[in-house]
Amino acid sequence: MNEGSSALVLVLSGDPALYAIVRLSLVVSLSAVGLAALVGLPLGGLIALTRFPGRAGVIVLLNAFMGLPPVVVGLAVFLLLSRSGPLGSWGLLFTPTAMVIAQAVLITPIIAALTRQTVEDDWSEVRDELNAMGVGPLQRLMTLLYDARIALVTVLLAGFGRAAAEVGAVMIVGGNINGFTRVMTTAIALETSKGDLPLAMGLGLILIAIVFAINASAWALRLYAERRIG
Amino acid sequence: MSDLPVTLTKVSYVVGETSILRDVDLVVRTGAPTFVVGPNGSGKSTLLRLVMGLITPTAGAIEWAGARDPAPRRRAMVFQHPVMLRRSVAGNLLYALEQAGVEKSLRDRRCSELLQKVGLSDLADRPARRLSGGERQKLAFARALARSPELLILDEPTASLDPSATLALERLIAQAAAEGIKILMASHDLGQMRRLAGDVVFLHRGRILESASAKDFFEQPVSAQASAFLRSDLILED
């Protein structure tokens, strides 16, 4: 396993090009999670707590969108941001911002759908109590989102996992430009096809390590919170 | 603002084909505790939930101090299985105080007063969902008192408690009643009824069969069903 050992050397030696790629990956995916949370958490909570015609259809659509193919999202955002597209004048195509937008579009349905489910389950449990306290609609939403905060961290994590692992969307709207829009997944795809397996494997190792570390800390947070909050 | 008296006029509650309450006329006014009693499935919980305004009657009308708006003003409810928010004991109480419109500067003091009253001061920082059944019921009681209610509705609050926790809660209920809070409470504990009740409403199959002072109800029940209920706490299908 010659390539395996050179991959390890690359990771441990702190190769600057490699770490620039890792940093951009984290910045893009975490920003996408932030953006998707701003939309997805209130949206999911709102759908959970309201009744309107066509609600069942919206929920089915949202659940279906959890499985959106990244390349299709990439294509849609590409068309939106390309020169001749409606938002072409913003000049965002092939920038990290475009990648954030594409990943946010990809994971907003995941965060909204899982939030909807969580909040709706909690609501059926506390509905009588909150109604007996005369809690109004907006307060109700805030209360339930806050009450479900531990579960919602796991929801955001699911979104992060999806964003950090996808290739298609960032490849299409970012263009995998060296030193500018190259992230771990697009680099792995490129280096593998070029035959530079050590770099691809090194990045793969780091990607797995990051996902592992984030899940481990979320698990620890959950244990701590369960003891503290119940 | 007031919630009393609560007036129910020809109130029915039907779910699908099942009629849970039929033509109930009832006035809840200031005074000694009113107990709603009857066998399982007689409609006690539904009646309490209607009075609380949590559900709307399918026929008839309910008025709180003459108004039809079901938003709770000076009434509160303690459920058989209270649900706490994922916060500390004090956090749950502060939340209730906030919802009751208590001014922010007064909440902390009111919170410790209430915790002391129900004997939970030592557990203020404990996660509320980690409390034992008896402690949780006390917290639910404190949370209800946070609304400064004039009407306090309790749905079999001691049904799943051990004797000492039951006694502690009964003391709190008696104290609240002595302070002028109207108690409307469902129970099928005859001993508890003898200890606390001023009036009794006897429900059977969704109808009020008797509405009397506790003394009259115990000494000379009018209906055969009530007599049977008092004899054995058991009513067989007729």
Side-chain angles (χ1 to χ4, degrees), chain B residues 97-152:
Chain B
L97 287 164
E98 182 187 347
Q99 295 307 323
V102 175
E103 220 174 292
K104 192 163 188 170
S105 56
L106 303 175
R107 282 180 216 154
D108 279 333
R109 210 186 62 209
R110 188 90 181 92
C111 176
S112 22
E113 282 170 10
L114 286 167
L115 285 175
Q116 186 151 27
K117 183 168 212 162
V118 300
L120 289 180
S121 298
D122 293 343
L123 303 180
D125 297 325
R126 190 78 74 80
R129 293 212 166 191
R130 290 283 164 114
L131 295 179
S132 72
E135 291 161 352
R136 191 171 25 189
Q137 207 57 268
K138 283 179 186 169
L139 177 55
F141 196 83
R143 191 168 62 174
L145 290 184
R147 300 188 62 76
S148 307
E150 51 184 16
L151 170 61
L152 181 52

Side-chain angles (χ1 to χ4, degrees), chain B residues 41-186:
Chain B
S42 57
K44 299 190 293 290
S45 287
T46 304
L47 179 60
L48 296 188
R49 291 162 61 81
L50 282 164
V51 172
M52 188 60 205
L54 295 176
I55 50 177
T56 325
T58 46
I62 307 180
E63 290 183 342
W64 293 270
R68 297 243 178 137
D69 174 18
R73 291 177 294 261
R74 297 282 308 279
R75 61 182 188 275
M77 184 156 180
V78 175
F79 298 90
Q80 185 178 349
H81 301 288
V83 182
M84 295 300 156
L85 295 174
R86 293 185 187 92
R87 305 168 189 228
S88 66
V89 167
N92 269 277
L93 216 41
L94 289 169
Y95 180 85
L97 287 164
E98 182 187 347
Q99 295 307 323
V102 175
E103 220 174 292
K104 192 163 188 170
S105 56
L106 303 175
R107 282 180 216 154
D108 279 333
R109 210 186 62 209
R110 188 90 181 92
C111 176
S112 22
E113 282 170 10
L114 286 167
L115 285 175
Q116 186 151 27
K117 183 168 212 162
V118 300
L120 289 180
S121 298
D122 293 343
L123 303 180
D125 297 325
R126 190 78 74 80
R129 293 212 166 191
R130 290 283 164 114
L131 295 179
S132 72
E135 291 161 352
R136 191 171 25 189
Q137 207 57 268
K138 283 179 186 169
L139 177 55
F141 196 83
R143 191 168 62 174
L145 290 184
R147 300 188 62 76
S148 307
E150 51 184 16
L151 170 61
L152 181 52
I153 300 170
L154 303 107
D155 189 2
E156 303 192 29
T158 61
S160 43
L161 300 186
D162 65 28
S164 80
T166 299
L167 189 66
L169 201 69
E170 280 186 15
R171 282 203 185 117
L172 289 171
I173 294 168
Q175 192 186 347
E179 286 167 9
I181 298 173
K182 172 67 183 182
I183 304 284
L184 180 67
M185 176 164 164

